[in-house]
Amino acid sequence: LVCAYPSCVCTQVAAMQRDSTTYCDEPPDEEAFARWRASFSLPASQPAINTLLAENAFMAELHARLVPLIVENEDFWSRYFYR
């Protein structure tokens, strides 16, 4: 994973990516998440998703294991981008 941000941000992103609650649990502030999700577009996010899955083997494997068995694709990505 190549990160263009300061190392502390990259470390936080990597930790968030490895935390299953990122994808499997609703964010704690459900109202704020619902407002944010109303503007989330999975098709508009697809180029970023494709890049992430191509460049990050961990994310690609996690996505393959969780979707759709445990969580729906749109829930997976909306929770990821929200956090």
Side-chain angles (χ1 to χ4, degrees):
L1 173 67
V2 176
C3 187
Y5 300 100
S7 64
C8 62
V9 173
C10 295
T11 301
Q12 291 172 343
V13 169
M16 184 257 328
Q17 289 176 337
R18 285 174 168 65
D19 183 354
S20 65
T21 63
T22 298
Y23 318 98
C24 298
D25 297 347
E26 289 286 336
D29 187 346
E30 292 178 32
E31 192 174 304
F33 177 61
R35 284 192 306 271
W36 177 87
R37 190 166 179 170
S39 66
F40 176 71
S41 168
L42 188 60
S45 302
Q46 202 59 54
I49 291 168
N50 293 344
T51 299
L52 180 62
L53 293 176
E55 294 178 356
N56 187 322
F58 176 83
M59 285 293 299
E61 182 178 335
L62 184 66
H63 182 263
R65 287 183 179 193
L66 295 178
V67 176
L69 201 57
I70 296 171
V71 66
E72 294 297 321
N73 190 53
E74 188 159 354
D75 290 335
F76 181 96
W77 290 113
S78 65
R79 292 170 184 166
Y80 174 84
F81 283 110
Y82 180 74
R83 293 182 198 247

